[in-house]
Amino acid sequence: MARKRITPGKIRLAEVAKLAGVSPITASRFFRNPEALSAGKRARVESAAKELGYVPNLAARALASQRTEVIGVLIPSLTNNVFADVLRGIYDALDGSRYSIQLANTRYSILQEERLLRLFLAQKPAGLIITGINQTADSHRIMETVDCPIVQIMEVGPAPIDMMIGFSHFDAAKAAIAHLLAQGYRRIGFLGARMDPRVQRRLDGYRAAMTEAALFDPRLIVTTAIPTSVTLGGTLFADLLAKAPDIDAVFCVNDDLALGALFECKRRHMAVPEQMAIVGFNDLEFMASSEPTLSSVRTNRYEMGRNAAMMVIETLEGRRPAEPVVDLGFSVIERQSSARRS
Amino acid sequence: MARKRITPGKIRLAEVAKLAGVSPITASRFFRNPEALSAGKRARVESAAKELGYVPNLAARALASQRTEVIGVLIPSLTNNVFADVLRGIYDALDGSRYSIQLANTRYSILQEERLLRLFLAQKPAGLIITGINQTADSHRIMETVDCPIVQIMEVGPAPIDMMIGFSHFDAAKAAIAHLLAQGYRRIGFLGARMDPRVQRRLDGYRAAMTEAALFDPRLIVTTAIPTSVTLGGTLFADLLAKAPDIDAVFCVNDDLALGALFECKRRHMAVPEQMAIVGFNDLEFMASSEPTLSSVRTNRYEMGRNAAMMVIETLEGRRPAEPVVDLGFSVIERQSSARRS
DNA sequence: ACCGATATTGACAGCGCTACCAAGCGATTG
DNA sequence: CAATCGCTTGGTAGCGCTGTCAATATCGGT
């Protein structure tokens, strides 16, 4: 004989229903679609649930309904400040909603990403937020067959899997270089670390801008696969100076590198911007309060995360966003470090 | 008559079992406790599962077993670099294990924390990692009755709910001040933002050290409830200078404030450390590469997260750590910004 | 060859909830 | 006044897996 698995004192939906004097299924409906109940029963179930302190069992719900209320988020890094802002936006948008977040770290590997994707999609998530537009062919195929809203974040491009929100890294970098050119700088170096697809597109934007201005020179480019850091910014900047001592400006693919370059300038007693202009990318908080203040390209990361989560929710609620691809743009923030060449 | 909810093509445990020629329950055991099977059946189930691409249904597992394989993590902030490192440690430790992470943001509110705790514990988590030792009385009561490993992180103190890993913020701050005193500084200011309990204890450490040296002066202390930032570091430092123009050093409760103070010094053409010594807290990466390099108190955040997760796993696997309270310590990193007073 | 002990395996029911269908009910309509 | 309609409510079964216990296979010792 099998056991009687009794769980004494646990409040189940049945208890709530009994107290409210309705059937369990009616109580169930109260939590999923309150409008379907008559006002009287709705009030009775509500007060019964509150009185008993009922908390639904999500596992049972997921099993019976064949779907979860979890939104998966795949990002390449937990350390990068950029993703902290995106995450904050996502969490804020989902706060108070029925949905929870399952976060996974791909560590900048699309194979890792594919593995996590398979694992995750098997659990029938309510939605998915995934970083970038470079997934493996298999990942692509899997996502196209899956039946849940998917938002690709961080950049925009052709052929979204479902929805997309971000900006053009190519254009943003190009605009940063255009700014430096307009300020009178000519020998503009490029510093890049962890050359992920988005950083690569920034390099493309740099190359396009420099080529258009007939100023392109491969010796001005220093990149590495090493993860970014302030210290690395100093090192790369030193490398760049060794390769091209005559540079008058440097564009860094992120603000950490820019800060590192600034410190390296200080160590070399190089005046910024008089002897060396610096422009970063992302406009992290400290850029506005360094000495000198550092120019950067502002990207709307918090809004990106927030909107991505909202797009998922809206789709789930049947109010699909009119525009599946959202370009949040960017803006070049001009500060002291790239003041006009005198 | 009720429906036949057929799900065609879905691979369930039963399919795997049939292909392997064993009963479903044996297949189930393969995934939970492979050693219990004979080598032959183990191999058969394994190859059957691989051939069919079986992925277990976690909702069904959770419902049947009355517990989940989710470890909850409650942290007060997603933006703070400190927690990014802790999280990375946790994710790394749990990577490849059967456990997944449910992350929640308390926003430095213990009431919010209590709400999240109730919500979360109702889902029977496998374990819980929670920040700090200051929870509401109700939270405490709830956690004591719940039957899962709990690790309090970020600090150590008396009376752990279950396990604990961190360090003494009081001692760490006191050691930082002792270092400045040893270097010959006397009028040492204190800069504090977002005075959460741990920051408060750093202030206590500062006060203790200064009082012991008979140098305590309340005018040397500037604090605010505003969240920390580099910009705020500059502002607070300016406030401090206005209140106490004769200070010769400043201890900042975190590195962002220290960096902000450094920039403010540069703006005022104050030489660091000749006219003003600076010591931060946490030893973020950039402290080692600023100009001048900034002294700080190194805390082992990654290890803290990693060990906390490992303590949870070990407990779940029956190998409970010998020592429930782990003090990871700290170290004062002496750099240029607090060089000996000449 | 027999016994009990140990290692494997299987049968059964049920975890708590929701999908599906059907029924009840009062209101509306020709 | 009967037929019809829309709204609300309930009954039944089952989602996929695992806890409990029983049954069987294996083994060493006497």
Side-chain angles (χ1 to χ4, degrees):
Chain A
M1 184 198 73
R3 76 347 190 130
K4 280 277 160 295
R5 278 192 253 172
I6 38 98
T7 338
K10 172 127 45 85
I11 288 100
R12 301 192 312 283
L13 192 54
E15 273 73 56
V16 176
K18 193 193 272 183
L19 180 60
V22 301
S23 70
I25 187 66
T26 300
S28 167
R29 267 191 279 262
F30 168 77
F31 292 101
R32 290 174 294 139
N33 185 19
E35 296 80 37
L37 298 200
S38 62
K41 303 226 168 184
R42 183 164 38 202
R44 293 230 302 284
V45 175
E46 182 164 21
S47 76
K50 187 179 287 178
E51 183 177 334
L52 295 173
Y54 171 71
V55 181
N57 181 319
L58 299 184
R61 180 179 282 180
L63 182 58
S65 68
Q66 298 280 54
R67 60 192 143 72
T68 64
E69 290 174 345
V70 174
I71 294 174
V73 178
L74 290 177
I75 59 171
S77 162
L78 283 170
T79 329
N80 195 324
N81 287 306
V82 168
F83 292 106
D85 289 332
V86 175
L87 271 185
R88 202 161 43 84
I90 295 174
Y91 272 83
D92 279 2
L94 261 37
D95 199 54
S97 82
R98 65 201 303 174
Y99 301 101
S100 65
I101 296 160
Q102 190 68 46
L103 182 63
N105 181 357
T106 65
R107 298 154 198 254
Y108 290 98
S109 153
I110 57 172
L111 289 173
Q112 185 83 304
E113 183 180 69
E114 182 180 322
R115 191 183 66 82
L116 292 166
L117 202 56
R118 283 181 201 279
L119 211 69
F120 185 67
L121 292 181
Q123 307 310 326
K124 307 243 176 126
L128 181 66
I129 295 175
I130 187 164
T131 302
I133 60 179
N134 294 73
Q135 281 86 27
T136 65
D138 277 0
S139 293
H140 237 270
R141 204 168 313 120
I142 297 168
M143 284 192 280
E144 264 158 7
T145 60
V146 97
D147 176 38
C148 75
I150 298 175
V151 183
Q152 291 167 288
I153 58 169
M154 296 311 291
E155 53 182 323
V156 290
I161 295 168
D162 183 8
M163 292 175 280
M164 198 177 253
I165 183 164
F167 63 95
S168 164
H169 292 252
F170 180 92
D171 292 348
K174 204 170 162 190
I177 302 307
H179 160 63
L180 281 169
L181 291 171
Q183 298 291 78
Y185 298 97
R186 288 294 171 266
R187 292 286 287 171
I188 305 169
F190 179 96
L191 251 44
R194 172 120 64 191
M195 300 303 291
D196 70 50
R198 287 165 295 288
V199 173
Q200 195 66 50
R201 280 186 264 282
R202 288 177 216 160
L203 174 54
D204 294 342
Y206 163 85
R207 190 180 288 119
M210 292 296 276
T211 304
E212 278 178 27
L215 291 168
F216 181 73
D217 177 351
R219 283 169 299 179
L220 297 176
I221 298 173
V222 173
T223 64
T224 171
I226 299 171
T228 191
S229 71
V230 177
T231 306
L232 184 66
T235 313
L236 292 182
F237 182 66
D239 291 352
L240 175 61
L241 276 180
K243 277 176 71 178
D246 62 334
I247 56 171
D248 55 12
V250 61
F251 171 62
C252 307
V253 294
N254 66 51
D255 292 338
D256 288 343
L257 294 183
L259 185 61
L262 172 64
F263 286 136
E264 186 62 27
C265 285
K266 298 254 173 191
R267 272 189 288 275
R268 291 167 180 252
H269 304 292
M270 252 180 167
V272 175
E274 293 77 7
Q275 294 170 268
M276 184 64 57
I278 301 177
V279 173
F281 200 98
N282 280 324
D283 197 32
L284 296 185
E285 183 268 328
F286 62 76
M287 300 295 272
S289 65
S290 59
E291 159 45 33
T293 55
L294 287 160
S295 302
S296 194
V297 179
R298 180 171 297 163
T299 56
N300 307 295
R301 299 178 298 282
Y302 178 83
E303 287 72 23
M304 202 182 300
R306 196 175 154 76
N307 285 344
M310 281 165 55
M311 285 162 85
V312 169
I313 292 183
E314 281 171 12
T315 303
L316 290 172
E317 290 175 348
R319 301 177 284 112
R320 200 175 167 74
E323 195 46 72
V325 178
V326 180
D327 188 336
L328 245 32
F330 57 85
S331 44
V332 177
I333 308 293
E334 311 183 3
R335 298 205 181 88
Q336 294 166 354
S337 71
S338 63
R340 178 168 294 278
R341 193 121 215 237
S342 49
Chain B
M1 185 197 75
R3 83 324 194 147
K4 281 276 163 291
R5 274 193 261 175
I6 39 95
T7 338
K10 174 127 44 80
I11 287 100
R12 301 191 311 285
L13 192 54
E15 274 73 56
V16 176
K18 192 194 272 182
L19 180 61
V22 300
S23 70
I25 187 65
T26 300
S28 168
R29 267 190 280 261
F30 167 77
F31 293 102
R32 291 174 293 142
N33 185 17
E35 296 80 39
L37 298 200
S38 61
K41 304 226 170 187
R42 182 164 39 205
R44 293 230 301 283
V45 175
E46 182 164 20
S47 75
K50 186 178 287 177
E51 183 177 336
L52 296 172
Y54 172 71
V55 181
N57 181 320
L58 300 185
R61 181 179 283 178
L63 182 59
S65 67
Q66 298 281 58
R67 61 192 145 70
T68 64
E69 290 173 345
V70 174
I71 295 175
V73 178
L74 290 178
I75 59 170
S77 161
L78 283 170
T79 328
N80 197 325
N81 287 308
V82 167
F83 293 106
D85 289 333
V86 174
L87 271 184
R88 202 161 42 87
I90 295 174
Y91 272 84
D92 279 2
L94 261 36
D95 198 56
S97 82
R98 64 201 304 174
Y99 301 101
S100 65
I101 297 160
Q102 189 69 44
L103 181 64
N105 180 359
T106 65
R107 298 155 197 253
Y108 289 100
S109 153
I110 56 173
L111 289 173
Q112 185 82 305
E113 182 180 71
E114 183 181 320
R115 191 182 68 80
L116 290 166
L117 201 55
R118 283 183 201 278
L119 211 68
F120 184 67
L121 292 181
Q123 308 310 327
K124 310 247 175 111
L128 181 67
I129 295 176
I130 186 167
T131 303
I133 59 180
N134 292 73
Q135 282 85 25
T136 64
D138 277 359
S139 292
H140 236 269
R141 204 168 314 120
I142 297 169
M143 283 191 280
E144 264 157 7
T145 60
V146 96
D147 175 39
C148 76
I150 297 176
V151 183
Q152 292 167 286
I153 58 169
M154 295 311 291
E155 53 182 326
V156 290
I161 295 169
D162 182 10
M163 293 175 281
M164 199 176 254
I165 183 162
F167 64 95
S168 164
H169 292 251
F170 180 94
D171 291 349
K174 206 172 161 188
I177 303 304
H179 160 62
L180 281 169
L181 291 170
Q183 299 291 78
Y185 299 96
R186 287 295 170 264
R187 293 286 285 171
I188 305 169
F190 179 96
L191 251 44
R194 171 118 66 189
M195 300 303 290
D196 70 52
R198 286 165 296 287
V199 173
Q200 195 68 49
R201 280 186 263 282
R202 288 176 215 160
L203 174 54
D204 294 342
Y206 163 85
R207 191 182 284 119
M210 292 296 276
T211 304
E212 278 178 25
L215 291 169
F216 181 73
D217 177 350
R219 283 169 302 182
L220 297 175
I221 297 174
V222 174
T223 65
T224 172
I226 297 172
T228 191
S229 70
V230 177
T231 306
L232 184 66
T235 313
L236 293 181
F237 182 66
D239 292 353
L240 175 61
L241 275 180
K243 277 177 72 178
D246 62 333
I247 56 171
D248 55 13
V250 61
F251 171 62
C252 307
V253 294
N254 66 51
D255 291 338
D256 288 344
L257 295 182
L259 184 60
L262 173 62
F263 285 136
E264 186 62 26
C265 286
K266 297 258 173 187
R267 272 188 289 274
R268 292 167 180 253
H269 304 293
M270 255 177 160
V272 175
E274 292 77 8
Q275 292 169 270
M276 182 64 57
I278 301 178
V279 173
F281 199 99
N282 280 323
D283 198 34
L284 297 186
E285 183 267 329
F286 63 76
M287 299 296 271
S289 63
S290 59
E291 156 48 32
T293 57
L294 287 160
S295 301
S296 194
V297 180
R298 179 172 297 166
T299 58
N300 307 296
R301 298 179 299 283
Y302 178 83
E303 288 72 22
M304 201 183 298
R306 196 177 153 76
N307 284 344
M310 280 166 56
M311 286 162 85
V312 169
I313 292 182
E314 280 171 12
T315 305
L316 289 172
E317 291 177 349
R319 302 176 284 111
R320 201 177 165 72
E323 194 49 70
V325 178
V326 179
D327 187 336
L328 245 33
F330 57 85
S331 44
V332 178
I333 308 295
E334 312 182 3
R335 298 204 181 91
Q336 295 167 354
S337 71
S338 64
R340 179 169 294 280
R341 194 122 213 238
S342 50

